Amino acid sequence: MQSEGSEDRVITLDQEETVIGRASDNAVTIEDPAASSRHCAILRKENRYTLRDLNSTNGTYLNGGMVTEVPLAPGDVLTIGSIRITVEGDDIDTASSVASSDTGPQDTIRTGPVRQAPPEFGVRKSRAGMWIAIAIVIALGLLGLAYWFITGLMG
């Protein structure tokens, strides 16, 4: 797989399940810190393909939208971190009925650079408002305890 600025690479999908991720035991290994060790899988049943996210940390994107499981068609663009994968193949079945697979596995995915930046790796939304609310509740509780203690000494 290639990241931004690198040459394209073609991968033939000849297995029932092609796992993509950072781990070296995957069918397709990608070098991107935004990718999980087992990020997603492309499942092949005859000439139909399904993309399945494998509970990845930063999500799997197809044609710009985050997905969990979706059928693939020629021209679809899968994005994992800064890696772009374009689905190509002249015998990919996108209809509801499955065509015969006389020609064997000839479908490929082409990888190349991403044209737009993916979400930043490991960046979480700001939780400052939540911590301010917690601090206010604690401060009010401490003031209430102080008031109760002082009124108890005077009474």
Side-chain angles (χ1 to χ4, degrees):
M1 293 262 173
Q2 303 299 323
S3 59
E4 191 168 336
S6 299
E7 293 182 26
D8 290 356
R9 183 174 123 194
V10 176
I11 300 164
T12 301
L13 299 174
D14 56 0
Q15 302 172 12
E16 286 185 22
E17 180 181 63
T18 303
V19 178
I20 303 170
R22 278 193 346 259
S24 60
D25 62 340
N26 290 320
V28 179
T29 303
I30 57 176
E31 300 294 327
D32 189 302
S36 296
S37 58
R38 288 180 45 86
H39 196 94
C40 64
I42 297 176
L43 309 171
R44 177 187 172 112
K45 184 169 183 174
E46 297 185 11
N47 288 4
R48 285 192 283 176
Y49 295 86
T50 303
L51 171 65
R52 179 182 295 160
D53 181 77
L54 300 176
N55 298 318
S56 63
T57 303
N58 292 307
T60 301
Y61 293 81
L62 185 67
N63 302 324
M66 187 181 282
V67 297
T68 13
E69 187 166 330
V70 64
L72 292 173
D76 281 345
V77 178
L78 164 65
T79 306
I80 301 171
S82 64
I83 305 296
R84 186 190 73 192
I85 301 168
T86 302
V87 178
E88 298 177 348
D90 56 4
D91 66 340
I92 297 175
D93 184 12
T94 58
S96 58
S97 64
V98 178
S100 65
S101 57
D102 299 326
T103 59
Q106 295 182 9
D107 303 309
T108 59
I109 54 176
R110 180 176 304 280
T111 65
V114 173
R115 302 295 182 240
Q116 61 186 22
E120 289 187 50
F121 174 65
V123 174
R124 293 187 180 193
K125 293 180 181 176
S126 174
R127 295 184 179 169
M130 177 185 70
W131 289 111
I132 291 171
I134 290 172
I136 290 172
V137 170
I138 290 172
L140 288 174
L142 290 174
L143 285 174
L145 284 173
Y147 175 78
W148 176 72
F149 182 72
I150 291 171
T151 56
L153 288 177
M154 301 203 159

